Amino acid sequence: MSALTDKIQAMQPLTMGEMLAVAREFSVPVTDVVLAEAEIQTGMDREAILAAVMEEYAHNLRALEIGLVDGESILLGTVASQLAKVEGPKCFDDSFLDDVLLYTLAAQVGNHCIGLRPCAGTGDSCPYSGFIMAMQKAGCDKTRIAEVAALFLKIGGLFRVGKVTTGCNMEGFGAGAAALAAGTVAMMGGTPDQMEKSMVLALSPTIGVPCTPRVLVPALCTTHVGGAALIGIYSAKLLMRVDIDVNVPIDVMFAMASQVHLESAKHIVPTVVDFMEPFFKRKPLVESLVSQDVKDAEAAKISATLENAKTIAKDLARKTTPITKTLGEAVVGGSSQAVGSPTNAARIAHALAKGKIKKVIIELYPELFARRAINVPGVLMGAVFGSPTSDYKMYNEAVQKVKDMGIEVEIVEGHVEQIQKITIVSDEMTAWVDTLNRGGGRVKLRDASPSLEQATQAAKDMGIVLAE
């Protein structure tokens, strides 16, 4: 056995992170590690494995061809064959990306004609198949195509185990985005580091995203599954061209995704179903088997849901401002939630305080407490200097200035959801504001000292938006 095989033998089954680590250690392509592990697990040689991998895709590629030519889907109609007939670029001038999207869409249609062999689900089988077909059209080497196909199966297999309930986050969108990012890097001859970073970037936007269509609403899954291709390919190409600090290991991102997946099914999916059920496709023949009482009850629920949606939408519209006054003041630090809102809370506290400041106490709910590297400078510039959220010069200098002034700073992790309480102790008084974070630089004032009325007026004077 080679040293590489010995290493994999001792570690298997490999996680994504381990797969990448072994590739780094032995300076080999990640696909070599995937195939070496498969040789150990199956007893087959490399050539036989690659042939078997492509055979796994045979049915799905056939479904793709059906969707591309004349297949019709209950949810998507004949959209793939329509798009295929468009002369020139279909959606983008990048011919490879354009082909991946077209063939992914064709696989979705074909899925509703003859079905697909699922990986994490049938959702991620669509972009895998679309990418492979695009590689074939581009004239890529057959061995390279099979290697990328094998990589998809390795990554998809891990998502397959992680997907234990409903959710596009671990299937078409999440698994698809991560796998296509890896596949793009492999196709372009990138490094294990580039592959890991691109997978992390691609997976991040998919965390917690449910299957909004619930498999029964027309059209919506096109942007879920097509979005996986867009995000995955973009992440890979970005990481192949620039040096960007991505410090989250893929195994951590994947583990988090698997756990958020469980929570999403419990807490997000039920709401999705409530709002989307009125738009589920019905089959008349099936509906003929359902009693009228059930149909009447469903009709009443649908009517109530639609009225509720209208009420919510109108309430949100009433709370908007004219488009000439929509954008808030610029926020340094990169986040209007993590920096803008706590900084504005601190500015209100500064307006209430009098005398020489001796101490600042910053109480932040767990998420903001964890992000203190970016929000504490903002809070201190607001609390001590009254600086607005746009003061990038003070933002970069505030912490050192406060230390030089001998002001004591205490940072406390709060356990009230969204809390950001700022207390200023001076030689004359103690002033504080108890607020909740509302993002966009906005705050909800709960209480304040010397008074809530003074705090409200101070916020108004500074143009700070107070949320209900």
Side-chain angles (χ1 to χ4, degrees):
M1 278 189 170
S2 68
L4 172 63
T5 304
D6 289 342
K7 182 78 172 186
I8 296 172
Q9 178 74 64
M11 296 174 67
Q12 68 158 321
L14 299 177
T15 68
M16 282 183 268
E18 290 170 340
M19 168 185 83
L20 293 156
V22 171
R24 288 189 195 96
E25 181 179 346
F26 288 87
S27 300
V28 298
V30 177
T31 50
D32 281 2
V33 176
V34 171
L35 293 168
E37 182 184 33
E39 289 181 51
I40 294 169
Q41 293 172 339
T42 66
M44 300 164 64
D45 62 26
R46 184 184 180 106
E47 184 177 346
I49 290 170
L50 290 176
V53 163
M54 293 309 296
E55 181 58 33
E56 281 211 72
Y57 284 96
H59 175 85
N60 292 353
L61 294 175
R62 178 170 169 248
L64 186 161
E65 292 280 11
I66 290 172
L68 193 65
V69 177
D70 57 9
E72 184 168 356
S73 160
I74 184 176
L75 301 182
L76 308 177
T78 58
V79 63
S81 57
Q82 291 178 56
L83 191 61
K85 293 174 184 175
V86 173
E87 295 292 334
K90 314 305 181 189
C91 296
F92 297 96
D93 287 333
D94 182 320
S95 60
F96 184 79
L97 172 61
D98 208 44
D99 284 342
V100 171
L101 292 170
L102 171 62
Y103 297 143
T104 295
L105 186 58
Q108 289 180 268
V109 174
N111 182 32
H112 293 143
C113 297
I114 65 169
L116 289 182
R117 297 184 67 184
C119 193
T122 54
D124 57 318
S125 290
C126 295
Y128 302 165
S129 302
F131 195 96
I132 291 166
M133 182 64 81
M135 288 186 74
Q136 290 177 345
K137 183 184 176 185
C140 294
D141 176 76
K142 289 184 178 180
T143 299
R144 175 60 63 87
I145 294 172
E147 289 171 348
V148 170
L151 179 62
F152 287 163
L153 292 179
K154 171 62 180 180
I155 296 168
L158 290 163
F159 277 91
R160 182 182 177 89
V161 176
K163 187 179 185 295
V164 297
T165 182
T166 181
C168 205
N169 42 21
M170 290 289 284
E171 188 187 331
F173 196 23
L180 262 61
T184 303
V185 172
M187 181 182 71
M188 297 174 67
T191 67
D193 281 344
Q194 290 169 332
M195 186 177 293
E196 178 163 28
K197 289 179 179 181
S198 70
M199 291 172 70
V200 169
L201 286 189
L203 186 55
S204 180
T206 73
I207 302 295
V209 178
C211 176
T212 308
R214 305 302 322 127
V215 192
L216 288 171
V217 180
L220 299 187
C221 62
T222 57
T223 46
H224 281 247
V225 181
L230 286 166
I231 290 172
I233 294 172
Y234 165 65
S235 298
K237 290 200 170 185
L238 180 66
L239 264 299
M240 293 287 286
R241 287 168 169 78
V242 303
D243 182 19
I244 183 173
D245 183 18
V246 180
N247 64 355
V248 181
I250 184 57
D251 281 350
V252 174
M253 185 65 75
F254 176 63
M256 178 177 70
S258 71
Q259 298 308 296
V260 174
H261 167 65
L262 299 175
E263 297 304 313
S264 173
K266 295 176 186 175
H267 304 294
I268 298 177
V269 170
T271 301
V272 170
V273 172
D274 281 345
F275 281 90
M276 291 293 102
E277 190 173 8
F279 308 100
F280 283 8
K281 272 279 191 178
R282 309 289 184 185
K283 290 186 176 181
L285 196 58
V286 174
E287 292 303 297
S288 70
L289 304 176
V290 179
S291 72
Q292 191 58 46
D293 287 345
V294 171
K295 292 178 182 177
D296 291 343
E298 286 182 342
K301 181 181 177 183
I302 287 171
S303 179
T305 297
L306 294 176
E307 286 302 314
N308 183 40
K310 289 179 182 178
T311 299
I312 292 172
K314 194 64 175 178
D315 184 54
L316 293 172
R318 289 191 186 99
K319 294 175 181 177
T320 62
T321 57
I323 58 173
T324 54
K325 296 182 179 179
T326 294
L327 298 183
E329 189 168 14
V331 177
V332 294
S335 172
S336 61
Q337 176 192 13
V339 180
S341 184
T343 297
N344 278 336
R347 292 173 65 201
I348 298 171
H350 176 84
L352 301 179
K354 296 179 181 177
K356 184 178 180 181
I357 297 175
K358 300 291 187 181
K359 182 177 182 179
V360 177
I361 304 172
I362 306 169
E363 181 180 347
L364 303 170
Y365 68 97
E367 181 187 346
L368 288 195
F369 184 79
R371 300 170 75 182
R372 58 187 177 271
I374 62 172
N375 56 49
V376 166
V379 170
L380 290 179
M381 79 176 186
V384 178
F385 306 104
S387 300
T389 59
S390 59
D391 193 342
Y392 60 88
K393 187 173 185 296
M394 182 58 78
Y395 177 81
N396 291 317
E397 298 175 354
V399 174
Q400 189 60 54
K401 283 181 176 289
V402 167
K403 291 183 71 174
D404 292 343
M405 293 166 68
I407 297 174
E408 182 183 354
V409 177
E410 181 180 353
I411 307 170
V412 179
E413 182 175 8
H415 297 288
V416 174
E417 186 177 359
Q418 305 294 312
I419 194 169
Q420 44 190 29
K421 184 176 181 180
I422 314 299
T423 302
I424 299 176
V425 181
S426 74
D427 57 359
E428 296 184 24
M429 64 182 297
T430 297
W432 52 266
V433 292
D434 183 344
T435 76
L436 301 180
N437 189 299
R438 287 296 179 262
R442 299 171 300 155
V443 298
K444 175 179 173 59
L445 268 174
R446 296 205 306 171
D447 202 358
S449 178
S451 76
L452 184 59
E453 291 74 22
Q454 285 179 261
T456 301
Q457 186 59 50
K460 183 178 180 180
D461 293 342
M462 289 184 283
I464 296 172
V465 178
L466 298 180
E468 296 181 9

